[in-house]
Amino acid sequence: EEVFFIVYRPDGSTSGNKVFLFDDGNLSLNGDQTAGDGIYSRIISVNQTNAKGTYRFEFQAIDRGGLISNIINYSVLIQ
């Protein structure tokens, strides 16, 4: 049904908004190579206005039955 992440800034703050990933085969727009293959993608842009430090991404999915996955945490360091 949906695959998304919520991002936490280096200071721990977040908007709490879901950022959706795509499985639509739109490589140039969403970074997804093959539609319908179960691999979800999203292009993220970083520039000099982003705060430096470690960002935490909480990935989660909800299936068509409404079941919610475990949260997968991934950290990215911007220097």
Side-chain angles (χ1 to χ4, degrees):
E1 188 66 27
E2 59 185 42
V3 178
F4 62 90
F5 64 82
I6 297 174
V7 64
Y8 293 81
R9 297 175 197 89
D11 66 4
S13 66
T14 182
S15 68
N17 293 334
K18 292 179 180 179
V19 179
F20 293 97
L21 286 82
F22 302 92
D23 186 18
D24 60 1
N26 193 330
L27 186 61
S28 61
L29 184 62
N30 298 320
D32 189 65
Q33 190 168 2
T34 305
D37 64 356
I39 299 173
Y40 288 75
S41 307
R42 176 79 185 221
I43 295 174
I44 307 249
S45 296
V46 177
N47 61 42
Q48 63 273 15
T49 64
N50 289 96
K52 294 186 179 358
T54 301
Y55 287 75
R56 182 169 52 93
F57 293 79
E58 286 188 351
F59 290 87
Q60 210 164 15
I62 301 174
D63 71 12
R64 291 186 183 106
L67 297 175
I68 302 171
S69 71
N70 294 332
I71 293 172
I72 304 296
N73 286 293
Y74 190 81
S75 296
V76 174
L77 175 63
I78 296 179
Q79 298 180 321

